[in-house]
């Protein structure tokens, strides 16, 4: 259980175009999803928190007009990179928060496989 | 602001040797700490969380609030433990702050 998928796994686009990445929780409902960015040989950097039915919360320094997030259902969040440029090329990873059962266990995040974006 | 530091980017040990991956954090609130692992060509997955106080795949980690550390340990490393390990700090709204990661290589 608790599987998160991302689509596409890899995308190449021309500079100036927009690209949409989907993140789905396949077997659970996720009121909260997270979007990360990872540069080669670097750590994951949280970009934004996506909440179902409300506006996303962006981290400091992340342009909300450039990285549009929509979380229209309990199983789907989308990240749209608008007017992409070569510097937006990166590995984008989403995660979904699911509550696990048990007295000691609390919420944890399940990660998608990531989307490699290359902007030419 | 929260911060997670993993001082070693690379760590190499021989099979059967003990291994310790270091993690230090700074956070003004009550910390919730995790270790995530990423095997080659696989997605990030949770290995341990401090509140569970469990041992997974022989790994343990103890939260030391005095030293603000959450080091990951295993007494006898195996080749299949070779992977990228990330320490993460959970804060409000379940946001995670990740460390830079440590690439562990276990040699035969």
């Amino acid at each position: 259980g608790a599987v998160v998928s991302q689509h596409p796994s890899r995308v190449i686009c021309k500079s100036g175009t927009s690209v949409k990445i989907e993140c789905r929780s396949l077997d659970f409902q996720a009121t909260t999803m997270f979007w990360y960015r990872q540069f080669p040989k670097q750590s994951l950097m949280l970009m934004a928190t996506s909440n179902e039915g409300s506006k996303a919360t962006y981290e400091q320094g992340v342009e909300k007009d450039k990285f549009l997030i929509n979380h229209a259902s309990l199983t789907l969040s989308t990240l749209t990179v608008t007017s992409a440029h070569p510097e937006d090329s990166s590995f984008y990873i989403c995660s979904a928060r699911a509550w696990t059962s048990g007295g000691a266990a609390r919420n944890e995040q399940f990660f998608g496989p990531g989307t490699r974006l290359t902007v030419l | 602001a929260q911060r997670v530091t993993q001082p070693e980017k690379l760590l190499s040990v021989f099979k059967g040797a003990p291994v310790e991956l270091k993690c230090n954090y700074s956070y003004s609130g009550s910390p919730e700490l995790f270790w995530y692992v990423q095997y080659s060509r696989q997605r990030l997955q949770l290995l341990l969380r401090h509140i569970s106080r469990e041992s997974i795949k022989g790994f343990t980690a103890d939260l030391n609030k005095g030293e603000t550390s959450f080091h990951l340990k295993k007494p006898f490393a195996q080749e299949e433990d070779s992977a990228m390990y990330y320490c993460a700090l959970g804060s409000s709204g379940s946001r995670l702050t990740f460390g830079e990661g440590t690439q562990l290589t276990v040699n035969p």
Side-chain angles (χ1 to χ4, degrees), chain A residues 49-82:
Chain A
T49 302
S50 172
N51 298 297
E52 187 268 335
S54 65
K55 290 184 178 180
T57 304
Y58 290 81
E59 296 299 302
Q60 192 172 9
V62 177
E63 299 176 60
K64 58 181 69 176
D65 293 331
K66 178 152 187 72
F67 298 99
L68 300 179
I69 292 172
N70 183 279
H71 193 156
S73 79
L74 288 171
T75 60
L76 173 66
S77 175
T78 60
L79 169 69
T80 301
V81 183
T82 62

PDB file of all heavy atoms in Angstrom, chain A residues 49-82:
ATOM      1  N   THR A  49       4.036  23.036  -0.504  1.00  0.00           N
ATOM      2  CA  THR A  49       3.100  22.091   0.096  1.00  0.00           C
ATOM      3  C   THR A  49       1.756  22.281  -0.579  1.00  0.00           C
ATOM      4  O   THR A  49       1.228  23.400  -0.640  1.00  0.00           O
ATOM      5  CB  THR A  49       2.971  22.348   1.604  1.00  0.00           C
ATOM      6  OG1 THR A  49       4.264  22.243   2.201  1.00  0.00           O
ATOM      7  CG2 THR A  49       2.022  21.347   2.260  1.00  0.00           C
ATOM      8  N   SER A  50       1.227  21.189  -1.083  1.00  0.00           N
ATOM      9  CA  SER A  50      -0.018  21.223  -1.831  1.00  0.00           C
ATOM     10  C   SER A  50      -1.145  20.667  -0.966  1.00  0.00           C
ATOM     11  O   SER A  50      -1.063  19.541  -0.498  1.00  0.00           O
ATOM     12  CB  SER A  50       0.155  20.363  -3.089  1.00  0.00           C
ATOM     13  OG  SER A  50      -1.059  20.185  -3.776  1.00  0.00           O
ATOM     14  N   ASN A  51      -2.158  21.469  -0.731  1.00  0.00           N
ATOM     15  CA  ASN A  51      -3.278  21.052   0.102  1.00  0.00           C
ATOM     16  C   ASN A  51      -4.535  20.927  -0.752  1.00  0.00           C
ATOM     17  O   ASN A  51      -4.876  21.844  -1.505  1.00  0.00           O
ATOM     18  CB  ASN A  51      -3.522  22.074   1.217  1.00  0.00           C
ATOM     19  CG  ASN A  51      -2.326  22.188   2.132  1.00  0.00           C
ATOM     20  OD1 ASN A  51      -1.944  21.237   2.797  1.00  0.00           O
ATOM     21  ND2 ASN A  51      -1.721  23.363   2.168  1.00  0.00           N
ATOM     22  N   GLU A  52      -5.222  19.823  -0.611  1.00  0.00           N
ATOM     23  CA  GLU A  52      -6.421  19.572  -1.383  1.00  0.00           C
ATOM     24  C   GLU A  52      -7.464  20.638  -1.120  1.00  0.00           C
ATOM     25  O   GLU A  52      -7.794  20.921   0.040  1.00  0.00           O
ATOM     26  CB  GLU A  52      -6.960  18.174  -1.061  1.00  0.00           C
ATOM     27  CG  GLU A  52      -8.122  17.735  -1.939  1.00  0.00           C
ATOM     28  CD  GLU A  52      -9.475  18.085  -1.354  1.00  0.00           C
ATOM     29  OE1 GLU A  52      -9.564  18.224  -0.127  1.00  0.00           O
ATOM     30  OE2 GLU A  52     -10.440  18.208  -2.131  1.00  0.00           O
ATOM     31  N   GLY A  53      -7.942  21.238  -2.174  1.00  0.00           N
ATOM     32  CA  GLY A  53      -9.024  22.202  -2.072  1.00  0.00           C
ATOM     33  C   GLY A  53      -8.603  23.592  -1.643  1.00  0.00           C
ATOM     34  O   GLY A  53      -9.459  24.462  -1.444  1.00  0.00           O
ATOM     35  N   SER A  54      -7.326  23.837  -1.486  1.00  0.00           N
ATOM     36  CA  SER A  54      -6.879  25.179  -1.106  1.00  0.00           C
ATOM     37  C   SER A  54      -5.574  25.513  -1.822  1.00  0.00           C
ATOM     38  O   SER A  54      -5.005  24.677  -2.518  1.00  0.00           O
ATOM     39  CB  SER A  54      -6.705  25.284   0.409  1.00  0.00           C
ATOM     40  OG  SER A  54      -5.669  24.439   0.849  1.00  0.00           O
ATOM     41  N   LYS A  55      -5.134  26.729  -1.616  1.00  0.00           N
ATOM     42  CA  LYS A  55      -3.922  27.170  -2.303  1.00  0.00           C
ATOM     43  C   LYS A  55      -2.687  26.493  -1.724  1.00  0.00           C
ATOM     44  O   LYS A  55      -2.625  26.195  -0.536  1.00  0.00           O
ATOM     45  CB  LYS A  55      -3.778  28.696  -2.176  1.00  0.00           C
ATOM     46  CG  LYS A  55      -4.795  29.485  -2.970  1.00  0.00           C
ATOM     47  CD  LYS A  55      -4.511  30.986  -2.860  1.00  0.00           C
ATOM     48  CE  LYS A  55      -5.506  31.766  -3.687  1.00  0.00           C
ATOM     49  NZ  LYS A  55      -5.255  33.243  -3.588  1.00  0.00           N
ATOM     50  N   ALA A  56      -1.716  26.316  -2.592  1.00  0.00           N
ATOM     51  CA  ALA A  56      -0.464  25.721  -2.144  1.00  0.00           C
ATOM     52  C   ALA A  56       0.334  26.727  -1.321  1.00  0.00           C
ATOM     53  O   ALA A  56       0.192  27.939  -1.477  1.00  0.00           O
ATOM     54  CB  ALA A  56       0.356  25.270  -3.355  1.00  0.00           C
ATOM     55  N   THR A  57       1.170  26.200  -0.456  1.00  0.00           N
ATOM     56  CA  THR A  57       2.066  27.030   0.342  1.00  0.00           C
ATOM     57  C   THR A  57       3.463  26.880  -0.214  1.00  0.00           C
ATOM     58  O   THR A  57       4.015  25.773  -0.225  1.00  0.00           O
ATOM     59  CB  THR A  57       2.049  26.586   1.816  1.00  0.00           C
ATOM     60  OG1 THR A  57       0.719  26.624   2.306  1.00  0.00           O
ATOM     61  CG2 THR A  57       2.927  27.514   2.646  1.00  0.00           C
ATOM     62  N   TYR A  58       4.043  27.981  -0.677  1.00  0.00           N
ATOM     63  CA  TYR A  58       5.345  27.921  -1.319  1.00  0.00           C
ATOM     64  C   TYR A  58       6.463  28.261  -0.327  1.00  0.00           C
ATOM     65  O   TYR A  58       6.290  29.100   0.559  1.00  0.00           O
ATOM     66  CB  TYR A  58       5.396  28.900  -2.492  1.00  0.00           C
ATOM     67  CG  TYR A  58       4.534  28.474  -3.662  1.00  0.00           C
ATOM     68  CD1 TYR A  58       3.163  28.719  -3.677  1.00  0.00           C
ATOM     69  CD2 TYR A  58       5.086  27.804  -4.747  1.00  0.00           C
ATOM     70  CE1 TYR A  58       2.365  28.310  -4.725  1.00  0.00           C
ATOM     71  CE2 TYR A  58       4.303  27.398  -5.819  1.00  0.00           C
ATOM     72  CZ  TYR A  58       2.951  27.653  -5.795  1.00  0.00           C
ATOM     73  OH  TYR A  58       2.168  27.242  -6.844  1.00  0.00           O
ATOM     74  N   GLU A  59       7.595  27.622  -0.519  1.00  0.00           N
ATOM     75  CA  GLU A  59       8.753  27.943   0.306  1.00  0.00           C
ATOM     76  C   GLU A  59       9.372  29.252  -0.174  1.00  0.00           C
ATOM     77  O   GLU A  59       9.176  29.684  -1.311  1.00  0.00           O
ATOM     78  CB  GLU A  59       9.782  26.807   0.225  1.00  0.00           C
ATOM     79  CG  GLU A  59       9.282  25.494   0.797  1.00  0.00           C
ATOM     80  CD  GLU A  59       8.934  25.588   2.266  1.00  0.00           C
ATOM     81  OE1 GLU A  59       9.831  25.951   3.073  1.00  0.00           O
ATOM     82  OE2 GLU A  59       7.780  25.281   2.619  1.00  0.00           O
ATOM     83  N   GLN A  60      10.124  29.840   0.723  1.00  0.00           N
ATOM     84  CA  GLN A  60      10.758  31.110   0.400  1.00  0.00           C
ATOM     85  C   GLN A  60      11.670  30.959  -0.809  1.00  0.00           C
ATOM     86  O   GLN A  60      12.468  30.009  -0.887  1.00  0.00           O
ATOM     87  CB  GLN A  60      11.578  31.589   1.603  1.00  0.00           C
ATOM     88  CG  GLN A  60      12.046  33.019   1.510  1.00  0.00           C
ATOM     89  CD  GLN A  60      12.679  33.489   2.808  1.00  0.00           C
ATOM     90  OE1 GLN A  60      12.923  32.692   3.720  1.00  0.00           O
ATOM     91  NE2 GLN A  60      12.934  34.768   2.915  1.00  0.00           N
ATOM     92  N   GLY A  61      11.547  31.884  -1.738  1.00  0.00           N
ATOM     93  CA  GLY A  61      12.393  31.859  -2.919  1.00  0.00           C
ATOM     94  C   GLY A  61      11.821  31.096  -4.099  1.00  0.00           C
ATOM     95  O   GLY A  61      12.400  31.111  -5.184  1.00  0.00           O
ATOM     96  N   VAL A  62      10.706  30.417  -3.901  1.00  0.00           N
ATOM     97  CA  VAL A  62      10.079  29.680  -4.998  1.00  0.00           C
ATOM     98  C   VAL A  62       8.988  30.547  -5.625  1.00  0.00           C
ATOM     99  O   VAL A  62       8.088  31.010  -4.917  1.00  0.00           O
ATOM    100  CB  VAL A  62       9.470  28.350  -4.495  1.00  0.00           C
ATOM    101  CG1 VAL A  62       8.759  27.613  -5.630  1.00  0.00           C
ATOM    102  CG2 VAL A  62      10.544  27.481  -3.874  1.00  0.00           C
ATOM    103  N   GLU A  63       9.071  30.755  -6.933  1.00  0.00           N
ATOM    104  CA  GLU A  63       8.114  31.630  -7.606  1.00  0.00           C
ATOM    105  C   GLU A  63       6.785  30.917  -7.833  1.00  0.00           C
ATOM    106  O   GLU A  63       6.693  29.970  -8.624  1.00  0.00           O
ATOM    107  CB  GLU A  63       8.686  32.059  -8.953  1.00  0.00           C
ATOM    108  CG  GLU A  63       9.984  32.851  -8.877  1.00  0.00           C
ATOM    109  CD  GLU A  63      10.511  33.130 -10.281  1.00  0.00           C
ATOM    110  OE1 GLU A  63       9.786  33.790 -11.050  1.00  0.00           O
ATOM    111  OE2 GLU A  63      11.611  32.686 -10.603  1.00  0.00           O
ATOM    112  N   LYS A  64       5.759  31.377  -7.177  1.00  0.00           N
ATOM    113  CA  LYS A  64       4.464  30.716  -7.301  1.00  0.00           C
ATOM    114  C   LYS A  64       3.846  30.870  -8.683  1.00  0.00           C
ATOM    115  O   LYS A  64       3.074  30.020  -9.127  1.00  0.00           O
ATOM    116  CB  LYS A  64       3.499  31.214  -6.228  1.00  0.00           C
ATOM    117  CG  LYS A  64       3.237  32.686  -6.221  1.00  0.00           C
ATOM    118  CD  LYS A  64       2.293  33.079  -5.093  1.00  0.00           C
ATOM    119  CE  LYS A  64       2.972  32.898  -3.744  1.00  0.00           C
ATOM    120  NZ  LYS A  64       2.137  33.358  -2.613  1.00  0.00           N
ATOM    121  N   ASP A  65       4.189  31.950  -9.385  1.00  0.00           N
ATOM    122  CA  ASP A  65       3.634  32.134 -10.727  1.00  0.00           C
ATOM    123  C   ASP A  65       4.360  31.274 -11.761  1.00  0.00           C
ATOM    124  O   ASP A  65       3.857  31.059 -12.856  1.00  0.00           O
ATOM    125  CB  ASP A  65       3.733  33.597 -11.143  1.00  0.00           C
ATOM    126  CG  ASP A  65       2.836  34.472 -10.287  1.00  0.00           C
ATOM    127  OD1 ASP A  65       1.801  33.964  -9.805  1.00  0.00           O
ATOM    128  OD2 ASP A  65       3.172  35.650 -10.085  1.00  0.00           O
ATOM    129  N   LYS A  66       5.524  30.818 -11.397  1.00  0.00           N
ATOM    130  CA  LYS A  66       6.295  29.985 -12.327  1.00  0.00           C
ATOM    131  C   LYS A  66       5.983  28.504 -12.095  1.00  0.00           C
ATOM    132  O   LYS A  66       5.928  27.731 -13.031  1.00  0.00           O
ATOM    133  CB  LYS A  66       7.787  30.208 -12.113  1.00  0.00           C
ATOM    134  CG  LYS A  66       8.629  29.348 -13.015  1.00  0.00           C
ATOM    135  CD  LYS A  66       9.948  29.988 -13.301  1.00  0.00           C
ATOM    136  CE  LYS A  66      10.688  29.195 -14.338  1.00  0.00           C
ATOM    137  NZ  LYS A  66      10.100  29.329 -15.666  1.00  0.00           N
ATOM    138  N   PHE A  67       5.804  28.145 -10.858  1.00  0.00           N
ATOM    139  CA  PHE A  67       5.523  26.751 -10.514  1.00  0.00           C
ATOM    140  C   PHE A  67       4.096  26.682  -9.957  1.00  0.00           C
ATOM    141  O   PHE A  67       3.861  26.846  -8.766  1.00  0.00           O
ATOM    142  CB  PHE A  67       6.529  26.243  -9.479  1.00  0.00           C
ATOM    143  CG  PHE A  67       7.954  26.257  -9.963  1.00  0.00           C
ATOM    144  CD1 PHE A  67       8.811  27.291  -9.607  1.00  0.00           C
ATOM    145  CD2 PHE A  67       8.428  25.236 -10.774  1.00  0.00           C
ATOM    146  CE1 PHE A  67      10.132  27.309 -10.059  1.00  0.00           C
ATOM    147  CE2 PHE A  67       9.746  25.241 -11.228  1.00  0.00           C
ATOM    148  CZ  PHE A  67      10.600  26.287 -10.868  1.00  0.00           C
ATOM    149  N   LEU A  68       3.172  26.428 -10.881  1.00  0.00           N
ATOM    150  CA  LEU A  68       1.761  26.407 -10.513  1.00  0.00           C
ATOM    151  C   LEU A  68       1.379  25.036  -9.979  1.00  0.00           C
ATOM    152  O   LEU A  68       1.639  24.023 -10.614  1.00  0.00           O
ATOM    153  CB  LEU A  68       0.891  26.739 -11.729  1.00  0.00           C
ATOM    154  CG  LEU A  68       1.125  28.107 -12.367  1.00  0.00           C
ATOM    155  CD1 LEU A  68       0.216  28.288 -13.579  1.00  0.00           C
ATOM    156  CD2 LEU A  68       0.887  29.220 -11.362  1.00  0.00           C
ATOM    157  N   ILE A  69       0.751  25.022  -8.820  1.00  0.00           N
ATOM    158  CA  ILE A  69       0.350  23.768  -8.197  1.00  0.00           C
ATOM    159  C   ILE A  69      -1.158  23.738  -8.033  1.00  0.00           C
ATOM    160  O   ILE A  69      -1.762  24.695  -7.560  1.00  0.00           O
ATOM    161  CB  ILE A  69       1.041  23.594  -6.834  1.00  0.00           C
ATOM    162  CG1 ILE A  69       2.538  23.378  -7.051  1.00  0.00           C
ATOM    163  CG2 ILE A  69       0.437  22.435  -6.050  1.00  0.00           C
ATOM    164  CD1 ILE A  69       3.357  23.378  -5.790  1.00  0.00           C
ATOM    165  N   ASN A  70      -1.721  22.607  -8.440  1.00  0.00           N
ATOM    166  CA  ASN A  70      -3.153  22.397  -8.292  1.00  0.00           C
ATOM    167  C   ASN A  70      -3.392  21.055  -7.631  1.00  0.00           C
ATOM    168  O   ASN A  70      -2.815  20.056  -8.018  1.00  0.00           O
ATOM    169  CB  ASN A  70      -3.829  22.431  -9.675  1.00  0.00           C
ATOM    170  CG  ASN A  70      -5.329  22.300  -9.562  1.00  0.00           C
ATOM    171  OD1 ASN A  70      -5.872  21.208  -9.427  1.00  0.00           O
ATOM    172  ND2 ASN A  70      -6.008  23.424  -9.588  1.00  0.00           N
ATOM    173  N   HIS A  71      -4.228  21.052  -6.601  1.00  0.00           N
ATOM    174  CA  HIS A  71      -4.506  19.815  -5.862  1.00  0.00           C
ATOM    175  C   HIS A  71      -6.026  19.677  -5.804  1.00  0.00           C
ATOM    176  O   HIS A  71      -6.643  19.919  -4.770  1.00  0.00           O
ATOM    177  CB  HIS A  71      -3.901  19.929  -4.465  1.00  0.00           C
ATOM    178  CG  HIS A  71      -3.836  18.636  -3.721  1.00  0.00           C
ATOM    179  ND1 HIS A  71      -2.926  18.431  -2.707  1.00  0.00           N
ATOM    180  CD2 HIS A  71      -4.542  17.490  -3.816  1.00  0.00           C
ATOM    181  CE1 HIS A  71      -3.095  17.207  -2.215  1.00  0.00           C
ATOM    182  NE2 HIS A  71      -4.068  16.619  -2.874  1.00  0.00           N
ATOM    183  N   ALA A  72      -6.597  19.296  -6.944  1.00  0.00           N
ATOM    184  CA  ALA A  72      -8.047  19.331  -7.101  1.00  0.00           C
ATOM    185  C   ALA A  72      -8.774  18.143  -6.497  1.00  0.00           C
ATOM    186  O   ALA A  72      -9.974  18.200  -6.260  1.00  0.00           O
ATOM    187  CB  ALA A  72      -8.398  19.441  -8.581  1.00  0.00           C
ATOM    188  N   SER A  73      -8.051  17.069  -6.247  1.00  0.00           N
ATOM    189  CA  SER A  73      -8.705  15.909  -5.658  1.00  0.00           C
ATOM    190  C   SER A  73      -7.813  15.303  -4.593  1.00  0.00           C
ATOM    191  O   SER A  73      -6.661  15.701  -4.438  1.00  0.00           O
ATOM    192  CB  SER A  73      -9.026  14.865  -6.731  1.00  0.00           C
ATOM    193  OG  SER A  73      -7.865  14.123  -7.068  1.00  0.00           O
ATOM    194  N   LEU A  74      -8.353  14.347  -3.865  1.00  0.00           N
ATOM    195  CA  LEU A  74      -7.595  13.733  -2.778  1.00  0.00           C
ATOM    196  C   LEU A  74      -6.519  12.779  -3.268  1.00  0.00           C
ATOM    197  O   LEU A  74      -5.767  12.226  -2.450  1.00  0.00           O
ATOM    198  CB  LEU A  74      -8.549  12.994  -1.830  1.00  0.00           C
ATOM    199  CG  LEU A  74      -9.415  13.898  -0.958  1.00  0.00           C
ATOM    200  CD1 LEU A  74     -10.462  13.077  -0.221  1.00  0.00           C
ATOM    201  CD2 LEU A  74      -8.572  14.681   0.030  1.00  0.00           C
ATOM    202  N   THR A  75      -6.451  12.564  -4.564  1.00  0.00           N
ATOM    203  CA  THR A  75      -5.445  11.632  -5.078  1.00  0.00           C
ATOM    204  C   THR A  75      -4.557  12.225  -6.159  1.00  0.00           C
ATOM    205  O   THR A  75      -3.709  11.533  -6.716  1.00  0.00           O
ATOM    206  CB  THR A  75      -6.119  10.360  -5.644  1.00  0.00           C
ATOM    207  OG1 THR A  75      -6.997  10.747  -6.709  1.00  0.00           O
ATOM    208  CG2 THR A  75      -6.886   9.605  -4.566  1.00  0.00           C
ATOM    209  N   LEU A  76      -4.731  13.505  -6.460  1.00  0.00           N
ATOM    210  CA  LEU A  76      -3.979  14.082  -7.567  1.00  0.00           C
ATOM    211  C   LEU A  76      -3.525  15.503  -7.273  1.00  0.00           C
ATOM    212  O   LEU A  76      -4.321  16.362  -6.887  1.00  0.00           O
ATOM    213  CB  LEU A  76      -4.816  14.086  -8.851  1.00  0.00           C
ATOM    214  CG  LEU A  76      -4.223  14.811 -10.058  1.00  0.00           C
ATOM    215  CD1 LEU A  76      -2.966  14.097 -10.540  1.00  0.00           C
ATOM    216  CD2 LEU A  76      -5.256  14.893 -11.192  1.00  0.00           C
ATOM    217  N   SER A  77      -2.234  15.731  -7.454  1.00  0.00           N
ATOM    218  CA  SER A  77      -1.680  17.075  -7.421  1.00  0.00           C
ATOM    219  C   SER A  77      -0.870  17.256  -8.691  1.00  0.00           C
ATOM    220  O   SER A  77      -0.215  16.312  -9.154  1.00  0.00           O
ATOM    221  CB  SER A  77      -0.786  17.275  -6.198  1.00  0.00           C
ATOM    222  OG  SER A  77      -0.145  18.545  -6.230  1.00  0.00           O
ATOM    223  N   THR A  78      -0.930  18.452  -9.267  1.00  0.00           N
ATOM    224  CA  THR A  78      -0.146  18.716 -10.473  1.00  0.00           C
ATOM    225  C   THR A  78       0.766  19.908 -10.257  1.00  0.00           C
ATOM    226  O   THR A  78       0.414  20.866  -9.552  1.00  0.00           O
ATOM    227  CB  THR A  78      -1.057  18.983 -11.690  1.00  0.00           C
ATOM    228  OG1 THR A  78      -1.868  20.123 -11.417  1.00  0.00           O
ATOM    229  CG2 THR A  78      -1.929  17.779 -11.993  1.00  0.00           C
ATOM    230  N   LEU A  79       1.924  19.818 -10.867  1.00  0.00           N
ATOM    231  CA  LEU A  79       2.899  20.913 -10.869  1.00  0.00           C
ATOM    232  C   LEU A  79       3.109  21.323 -12.312  1.00  0.00           C
ATOM    233  O   LEU A  79       3.481  20.484 -13.142  1.00  0.00           O
ATOM    234  CB  LEU A  79       4.221  20.456 -10.254  1.00  0.00           C
ATOM    235  CG  LEU A  79       5.415  21.402 -10.422  1.00  0.00           C
ATOM    236  CD1 LEU A  79       5.223  22.664  -9.607  1.00  0.00           C
ATOM    237  CD2 LEU A  79       6.723  20.700  -9.999  1.00  0.00           C
ATOM    238  N   THR A  80       2.846  22.577 -12.621  1.00  0.00           N
ATOM    239  CA  THR A  80       3.070  23.083 -13.965  1.00  0.00           C
ATOM    240  C   THR A  80       4.218  24.076 -13.936  1.00  0.00           C
ATOM    241  O   THR A  80       4.147  25.080 -13.214  1.00  0.00           O
ATOM    242  CB  THR A  80       1.807  23.757 -14.526  1.00  0.00           C
ATOM    243  OG1 THR A  80       0.728  22.813 -14.543  1.00  0.00           O
ATOM    244  CG2 THR A  80       2.049  24.255 -15.946  1.00  0.00           C
ATOM    245  N   VAL A  81       5.248  23.760 -14.689  1.00  0.00           N
ATOM    246  CA  VAL A  81       6.369  24.675 -14.830  1.00  0.00           C
ATOM    247  C   VAL A  81       6.048  25.556 -16.028  1.00  0.00           C
ATOM    248  O   VAL A  81       6.021  25.074 -17.168  1.00  0.00           O
ATOM    249  CB  VAL A  81       7.691  23.920 -15.041  1.00  0.00           C
ATOM    250  CG1 VAL A  81       8.855  24.899 -15.113  1.00  0.00           C
ATOM    251  CG2 VAL A  81       7.908  22.899 -13.931  1.00  0.00           C
ATOM    252  N   THR A  82       5.775  26.814 -15.790  1.00  0.00           N
ATOM    253  CA  THR A  82       5.361  27.715 -16.865  1.00  0.00           C
ATOM    254  C   THR A  82       6.571  28.403 -17.486  1.00  0.00           C
ATOM    255  O   THR A  82       7.552  28.717 -16.796  1.00  0.00           O
ATOM    256  CB  THR A  82       4.387  28.777 -16.341  1.00  0.00           C
ATOM    257  OG1 THR A  82       5.067  29.567 -15.355  1.00  0.00           O
ATOM    258  CG2 THR A  82       3.158  28.138 -15.709  1.00  0.00           C
TER     259      THR A  82
END
